[in-house]
């Protein structure tokens, strides 16, 4: 009943920029937090950036100063602006939703997007 649709991934040269978007659709009552995670080949999934509905953010040390997460609650969309991309940023990026959805009553739900591939060439 809640779906995440990611877009914006692709191939980019080192030093370039990309903006990822994640649109949340469904019976949403309240977004508590949204996040971007990534998983590189042979590595564990890691948190890249997260934002609460109140606007608090946190970032992985590896992306601080380069990536910016933002959210548009009216559009139920979270963005990840990625600047100064490095080859080590290459990974599948996953959008994560945490919030309340409406069924017969509000219920907490965590939902993952299918992922979008970001490839940074050197």
């Amino acid at each position: 009943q809640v779906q995440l649709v990611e877009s914006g991934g692709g191939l980019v040269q080192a030093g370039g920029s990309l903006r990822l978007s994640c649109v949340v659709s469904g019976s949403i009552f309240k977004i508590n937090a949204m996040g971007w995670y990534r998983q590189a080949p042979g590595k564990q999934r890691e948190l890249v950036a997260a934002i609460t509905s109140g606007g608090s953010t946190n970032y992985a040390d590896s992306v601080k100063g380069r990536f910016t997460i933002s959210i548009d609650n009216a559009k139920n969309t979270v963005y990840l602006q990625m600047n100064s991309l490095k080859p080590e940023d290459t990974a599948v990026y996953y959008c994560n939703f945490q919030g309340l959805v409406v069924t017969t009553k509000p219920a907490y739900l965590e939902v993952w997007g299918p992922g979008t591939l970001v490839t940074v060439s050197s």
Side-chain angles (χ1 to χ4, degrees):
Q1 59 182 259
V2 175
Q3 300 86 37
L4 308 182
V5 179
E6 298 136 322
S7 62
L11 175 65
V12 66
Q13 290 182 294
S17 298
L18 286 173
R19 188 181 74 160
L20 305 183
S21 299
C22 175
V23 179
V24 185
S25 62
S27 302
I28 302 167
F29 181 78
K30 180 183 178 182
I31 296 175
N32 291 339
M34 298 288 297
W36 287 97
Y37 292 72
R38 69 186 181 188
Q39 187 167 21
K43 296 185 178 180
Q44 293 183 312
R45 188 174 299 186
E46 64 174 347
L47 173 69
V48 177
I51 186 169
T52 69
S53 60
S56 298
T57 60
N58 63 83
Y59 299 89
D61 288 340
S62 60
V63 307
K64 286 182 179 178
R66 299 189 298 120
F67 291 10
T68 302
I69 189 171
S70 62
I71 189 169
D72 185 337
N73 284 303
K75 297 181 179 180
N76 289 332
T77 301
V78 64
Y79 305 94
L80 184 67
Q81 179 66 47
M82 305 185 294
N83 299 325
S84 302
L85 283 162
K86 304 175 181 179
E88 50 263 45
D89 294 318
T90 296
V92 176
Y93 284 71
Y94 298 91
C95 183
N96 176 264
F97 163 89
Q98 297 176 30
L100 298 176
V101 299
V102 179
T103 54
T104 56
K105 59 180 181 294
Y108 174 82
L109 190 67
E110 183 175 19
V111 180
W112 291 90
T116 184
L117 178 63
V118 172
T119 302
V120 184
S121 63
S122 60

